[in-house]
Amino acid sequence: MHIGIAGPVHIPSLKIQYDGDRSNWPIGMGGVPVNHLINALLELGHQISVFSSSPEIAVGDSFDWHEENLSIYMGPHRARPRYVCKDFFAVESDYIKNAILKARPDFVHAHWQYEWALGALKSGVSTLVTCHDSPVQVLKAQPDLYRLYRLIMSFLVIRKACHLTTVSDYCSKGLKFITSKKIIVIPNFEPDEIFNYHKASRVIGSEISIAMINNGFTSLKNVTVGILAFEQFRILYPNTVLHLFGQSFGKGEEADTWCKARLNTENIIFHGAIPFNQLMSKLTEIDVFLHTSREESFGMALVEAMAMGIPVIAGMNSGGPEWILKDGGGLLVDINSVDDVKEGLVKLMSPQVYSNHSKVARTVAVNRFSKKMVVNQYLDAYKLLIK
């Protein structure tokens, strides 16, 4: 099949068979689940055309690259919200539309129900739209004009789309505010190399490592509750270290400044944002993954931890994380209560409890969030698009 993939991508993460100079290539805008899917489909031998955008590309310019089974079409992405909101991302979506018409894929799988999906639908090519968030919930969490415009755009996209999927049951329920159309739930997945980090028999010892991975030291991420719970937990288990990863969690950054003004940071390590492979390598040495975010549509970091057999503590009303842990693999707690988070950590210190959660975490990750399980679901969905 010639499959079109529209959405944010990170070009360095794509498995490109080219050893030449790429220093002048655009990087892209992230899109971890999209990168994983592109690589998986390439491994299966499909021809892939990628339609995306990047703020490095000026309006009117573009970047095209082609190899045997992979083509990349990258257009502009304007950085200023007042410009993109004024015309509902017309420059971005028009580029996606025109690139699709140029590449002529059998169908398009568009990720995020915004400019990428809008461009795919404008092309008239059969399109599957995967919603990675619920814009109503996003607007509630971050009430501003930009998110309002995104909500309106999402409504326009979903109204026009004939084929819809989303990444969690929580996200599906959030989209019911917008549409009554059938929405298939197909979760994000982790590639095989993440599962290969698994340690067969994890045990909890006297020296304990806890990790939190977040981008942004915000009220929504709620990391302060996790840090304060760790401080209480360390009174009982003094040989515990908290590792903080992600943007705003490096030395001298927001989290570091907040902690140093209030706490003894001797047992807190501020790693900050580090390359993904390095992050995964460090995660293998962690005993407990703590995620106190108040709301997530999915939660890739939770699945990464579970794939390694690391028990997870997350919020009982946090959306995606609650759905990820519905079959076990960790504990759901009141993440607005420092005491409740601390008690969750204490419960995991029982060797038998820890071992059970570790085994279940791995099993759940394999059965629900592995590449084979998820890609097969998308291949079934693609059959509906081929006329």
Side-chain angles (χ1 to χ4, degrees):
M1 288 187 291
H2 180 189
I3 304 171
I5 302 287
V9 300
H10 181 246
I11 288 183
S13 297
L14 301 182
K15 294 182 178 179
I16 296 171
Q17 306 301 317
Y18 176 66
D19 297 326
D21 181 20
R22 287 199 249 168
S23 60
N24 62 340
W25 285 30
I27 294 174
M29 298 176 63
V32 172
V34 188
N35 303 325
H36 289 342
L37 181 60
I38 292 168
N39 290 333
L41 292 171
L42 286 170
E43 289 171 7
L44 291 173
H46 296 289
Q47 180 184 353
I48 306 298
S49 289
V50 178
F51 311 104
S52 193
S53 52
S54 179
E56 302 156 279
I57 299 175
V59 174
D61 290 342
S62 63
F63 170 85
D64 290 11
W65 185 84
H66 309 277
E67 63 180 12
E68 184 177 358
N69 283 332
L70 175 65
S71 293
I72 298 173
Y73 299 86
M74 188 79 74
H77 200 282
R78 294 166 294 169
R80 295 188 177 182
R82 64 174 176 163
Y83 293 137
V84 292
C85 289
K86 184 185 296 184
D87 61 11
F88 285 96
F89 291 81
V91 170
E92 290 76 9
S93 62
D94 283 347
Y95 172 81
I96 298 293
K97 176 196 73 175
N98 292 330
I100 290 171
L101 293 173
K102 179 180 177 182
R104 300 173 62 85
D106 296 330
F107 58 87
V108 179
H109 185 179
H111 293 261
W112 273 275
Q113 64 278 25
Y114 304 111
E115 59 268 31
W116 303 283
L118 187 59
L121 292 168
K122 283 180 180 179
S123 74
V125 175
S126 186
T127 297
L128 171 68
V129 176
T130 290
C131 304
H132 288 264
D133 62 29
S134 167
V136 173
Q137 301 296 342
V138 172
L139 181 61
K140 285 182 179 179
Q142 296 174 278
D144 56 34
L145 191 59
Y146 178 76
R147 270 81 192 180
L148 177 61
Y149 274 96
R150 299 292 269 180
L151 171 60
I152 296 170
M153 186 185 304
S154 180
F155 175 79
L156 296 173
V157 166
I158 291 173
R159 186 176 67 173
K160 190 172 183 179
C162 296
H163 305 279
L164 293 164
T165 71
T166 190
V167 296
S168 71
D169 185 62
Y170 167 74
C171 192
S172 177
K173 290 176 181 176
L175 291 169
K176 295 300 183 184
F177 290 104
I178 298 175
T179 184
S180 59
K181 292 180 180 178
K182 180 181 178 181
I183 303 174
I184 300 171
V185 176
I186 302 178
N188 294 324
F189 70 90
E190 291 295 339
D192 292 342
E193 50 263 36
I194 302 302
F195 286 84
N196 293 338
Y197 281 115
H198 175 240
K199 294 181 179 179
S201 57
R202 282 186 172 273
V203 295
I204 197 73
S206 58
E207 296 185 358
I208 304 158
S209 294
I210 300 171
M212 300 183 75
I213 302 175
N214 295 275
N215 283 318
F217 190 62
T218 64
S219 173
L220 185 64
K221 293 299 182 182
N222 194 39
V223 178
T224 55
V225 168
I227 294 171
L228 294 172
F230 159 75
E231 282 295 299
Q232 288 193 11
F233 177 77
R234 199 163 70 87
I235 296 172
L236 302 173
Y237 298 89
N239 292 329
T240 305
V241 176
L242 177 63
H243 298 262
L244 299 177
F245 299 95
Q247 295 173 10
S248 303
F249 295 93
K251 291 181 180 178
E253 295 180 349
E254 288 178 77
D256 185 13
T257 301
W258 186 91
C259 288
K260 284 180 177 174
R262 296 165 176 82
L263 309 168
N264 178 356
T265 60
E266 182 181 359
N267 283 39
I268 303 177
I269 300 178
F270 299 90
H271 296 274
I274 60 176
F276 181 75
N277 290 340
Q278 185 180 344
L279 173 61
M280 292 299 100
S281 180
K282 288 185 177 295
L283 190 58
T284 62
E285 304 302 321
I286 297 300
D287 298 306
V288 178
F289 185 80
L290 178 59
H291 196 71
T292 53
S293 176
R294 291 191 168 101
E295 190 271 342
E296 299 277 357
S297 295
F298 188 73
M300 294 293 288
L302 279 73
V303 176
E304 288 155 3
M306 293 167 68
M308 300 179 195
I310 302 171
V312 172
I313 293 178
M316 60 177 62
N317 295 305
S318 57
E322 182 180 5
W323 180 76
I324 288 171
L325 289 170
K326 72 182 181 70
D327 296 326
L331 299 173
L332 292 170
V333 300
D334 179 0
I335 45 81
N336 293 309
S337 166
V338 172
D339 288 339
D340 211 43
V341 175
K342 186 259 296 184
E343 287 302 317
L345 290 168
V346 171
K347 286 178 184 177
L348 282 182
M349 294 306 103
S350 163
Q352 187 60 50
V353 171
Y354 183 88
S355 177
N356 288 342
H357 282 299
S358 175
K359 291 174 183 176
V360 173
R362 170 69 177 184
T363 300
V364 169
V366 170
N367 290 341
R368 292 176 59 199
F369 308 115
S370 59
K371 178 178 70 175
K372 180 180 179 180
M373 297 298 292
V374 174
V375 173
N376 282 341
Q377 292 178 67
Y378 275 129
L379 291 175
D380 287 340
Y382 294 163
K383 294 174 184 177
L384 302 174
L385 302 175
I386 300 175
K387 300 176 181 178

